[in-house]
Amino acid sequence: MPNPHVPGTLLARHGEALDLFGARVHAVRPDQWDAPTPCTDWTVRDLVNHLTAEQLWVVPLVRERRAVAELGDAFEGDVLGDDPVAAWDRAAAESREAFLEPGALERTVQLSSGPTPATAYCSQMTSDLVIHAWDLSRGIGADERLPGDLVGFTVDAVSPYADSLAGSGLFAPRLEPPPDADEQTRLLAMVGRAV
């Protein structure tokens, strides 16, 4: 299996994860935006808003080399407006273009947690898209199967810090998967999702 940390592989997984989440955004019916998701405090709209805001950070952090501290609360609140799907599409395209620029993955980005290699940032963004694609799928009743390459990538990316995720307040405590669990079920348990 290709090394997920090699830039070409990382960029491929990032594009696939954006497409996966984007396909789910496009599948949301008008009556589903207020539906609950496995993220207990978030509706479908809240979840899409969160991921859209995450994509909006990429251009200033990666392309413009600005710092989170400098931008403050620029992407707080509602970033979806009257057309959530179009807002997602624009943000996803801009995020993708910024990461694809020559040399982008060789940079250091200034996150709230401190200076971070752009490869690590892209990996975190990819993993978040994969996990939340499952959340969104469950929220709208779509197919919950995740592509195997993205599941394997996310397991590799999240495993080193899985035990500290619940302490961040953004994830439920890690669960114990069944002994015969497949890789997707193990991933979901790692991030506190009950299947």
Side-chain angles (χ1 to χ4, degrees), residues 20-101:
L20 174 68
F21 190 84
R24 297 304 186 269
V25 173
H26 280 261
V28 178
R29 296 191 317 262
D31 64 338
Q32 291 182 311
W33 289 103
D34 291 327
T37 70
C39 305
T40 53
D41 294 335
W42 287 345
T43 63
V44 166
R45 184 182 173 95
D46 294 332
L47 179 59
V48 173
N49 189 74
H50 168 69
L51 271 293
T52 302
E54 281 199 343
Q55 306 321 307
L56 291 172
W57 281 103
V58 177
V59 168
L61 293 178
V62 176
R63 178 182 292 154
E64 299 169 4
R65 304 182 195 207
R66 298 170 69 190
V68 167
E70 175 189 347
L71 294 161
D73 60 359
F75 304 116
E76 294 284 317
D78 177 46
V79 298
L80 297 180
D82 294 333
D83 192 341
V85 176
W88 159 262
D89 285 345
R90 276 192 307 274
E94 290 170 6
S95 168
R96 183 71 177 146
E97 288 167 11
F99 275 125
L100 283 172
E101 286 177 359

Side-chain angles (χ1 to χ4, degrees), residues 4 11 18 23 28 36 48 51 54 63 76 80 98 101 112-113 120 126 131 139 142 151 155 184 186 188:
L11 288 172
L18 280 170
V28 178
V48 173
L51 271 293
E54 281 199 343
R63 178 182 292 154
E76 294 284 317
L80 297 180
E101 286 177 359
S112 55
S113 56
T126 302
I131 294 162
V151 171
V155 167
Q184 175 171 317
R186 290 197 306 274
L188 295 170

Side-chain angles (χ1 to χ4, degrees), residues 53-168:
E54 281 199 343
Q55 306 321 307
L56 291 172
W57 281 103
V58 177
V59 168
L61 293 178
V62 176
R63 178 182 292 154
E64 299 169 4
R65 304 182 195 207
R66 298 170 69 190
V68 167
E70 175 189 347
L71 294 161
D73 60 359
F75 304 116
E76 294 284 317
D78 177 46
V79 298
L80 297 180
D82 294 333
D83 192 341
V85 176
W88 159 262
D89 285 345
R90 276 192 307 274
E94 290 170 6
S95 168
R96 183 71 177 146
E97 288 167 11
F99 275 125
L100 283 172
E101 286 177 359
L105 290 183
E106 297 163 17
R107 299 177 188 152
T108 298
V109 292
Q110 304 298 323
L111 304 181
S112 55
S113 56
T116 303
T119 50
Y121 177 46
C122 187
S123 178
Q124 291 166 12
M125 294 285 284
T126 302
S127 299
D128 212 38
L129 285 161
V130 172
I131 294 162
H132 286 314
W134 182 86
D135 294 328
L136 185 53
S137 298
R138 177 149 288 194
I140 65 172
D143 181 4
E144 296 178 9
R145 276 310 313 157
L146 301 170
D149 284 349
L150 287 175
V151 171
F153 174 91
T154 306
V155 167
D156 289 346
V158 172
S159 292
Y161 58 90
D163 290 332
S164 63
L165 288 175
S168 71

Side-chain angles (χ1 to χ4, degrees), residues 174-178 189:
R174 184 177 188 157
L175 303 172
E176 190 61 40

